[in-house]
Amino acid sequence: KISASNPLDHRSPAMVTTRRSRSGVVLVVLLLAAAVLREAFVVPGAGPSRAALRLLPLALLGATPAGLAAPAWAEKGVTTAWKTRPDGGEDEIHTGGVEWEDVKVGTGASPQIGDQIGLRYVLKAYIREREVIVEDNTKGKAKDFRFGVGQLLPGMDEGIAGMKTGGVRKLRIPGNLAFGEKALPSAPGRMALPPFQPVEATVTLDFIPGADAVYDYGEMDEEK
């Protein structure tokens, strides 16, 4: 089977993503046109409403109202529970519920559990309407972590899953997937965090050694 992950496929991941996005737009346009025509001509005893007449030209021209705009492929979502660990045991920490949204979709490899990854991120919380920077390692080179094995917050593991190197993603992590029942003590320039405090993160997946050339993606993007 030829796919974006198949080495026999001559198409780039960007081309595959673009085609998926276009297919989604075409589907939305067709569904919109069908709904408009049904309201205008099929429903017994009902003539075309003003709403239908306004939407019909948009459907015929291939446009969609802002509220029905087709989302970009892999734009956002909510994580689900991992359920099992790589050793087959029950995964009790990756329970799902992290809201994620792509700021930039990467073009490289995706991490597998146990992979070493190069990551930059800003982790923040909001306490009494005050923004608190919990950790910021966006200055300088990325830090190395093992993905999915407990070196990161469970919610960060979940939110990074499916990313590709070069990508940037925003995460909204519920308290049970952040620091859990532990309160985070205060530090110079940072107030303490109470137990089960939700946090937000913006993460950049820079590289996966062995799958990508180390540091290439971030430096190439900056040159552009």
Side-chain angles (χ1 to χ4, degrees):
K1 180 179 178 181
I2 296 178
S3 68
S5 60
N6 192 323
L8 298 178
D9 190 355
H10 65 280
R11 300 171 298 172
S12 69
M15 292 172 60
V16 175
T17 299
T18 300
R19 291 185 180 180
R20 291 183 180 177
S21 298
R22 289 176 179 172
S23 300
V25 171
V26 172
L27 178 60
V28 170
V29 170
L30 292 176
L31 291 173
L32 176 61
V36 171
L37 292 174
R38 179 181 182 280
E39 180 181 351
F41 304 109
V42 177
V43 179
S49 66
R50 291 182 179 179
L53 293 176
R54 285 197 302 267
L55 291 174
L56 184 57
L58 292 174
L60 295 177
L61 290 173
T64 57
L68 295 177
W73 179 65
E75 181 183 4
K76 57 186 176 180
V78 180
T79 64
T80 57
W82 288 11
K83 296 183 179 180
T84 56
R85 301 192 306 264
D87 62 5
E90 183 179 0
D91 189 330
E92 299 179 345
I93 64 172
H94 299 103
T95 54
V98 176
E99 298 177 22
W100 60 268
E101 181 174 2
D102 281 329
V103 176
K104 174 185 175 185
V105 177
T107 58
S110 293
Q112 305 300 313
I113 294 178
D115 281 351
Q116 182 180 343
I117 60 175
L119 197 68
R120 288 180 289 162
Y121 61 88
V122 178
L123 187 67
K124 62 181 67 176
Y126 291 91
I127 302 176
R128 296 189 292 275
E129 300 183 356
R130 177 182 174 184
E131 180 181 281
V132 178
I133 301 298
V134 181
E135 187 175 358
D136 182 349
N137 78 327
T138 58
K139 300 176 178 62
K141 297 295 185 181
K143 288 186 178 180
D144 294 348
F145 299 93
R146 289 286 175 186
F147 170 67
V149 297
Q151 291 189 1
L152 292 164
L153 297 179
M156 290 185 69
D157 277 337
E158 291 186 20
I160 292 167
M163 288 186 70
K164 295 182 179 181
T165 48
V168 181
R169 182 174 284 184
K170 289 185 176 181
L171 311 176
R172 297 182 64 184
I173 303 173
N176 63 305
L177 295 176
F179 298 101
E181 61 186 11
K182 290 185 177 181
L184 191 66
S186 62
R190 189 199 69 210
M191 62 189 302
L193 270 62
F196 296 105
Q197 171 64 45
V199 296
E200 297 184 8
T202 300
V203 297
T204 300
L205 181 59
D206 273 9
F207 61 87
I208 304 173
D212 292 315
V214 177
Y215 303 123
D216 278 359
Y217 281 92
E219 294 180 355
M220 288 172 61
D221 290 339
E222 290 174 4
E223 291 174 2
K224 294 178 182 178

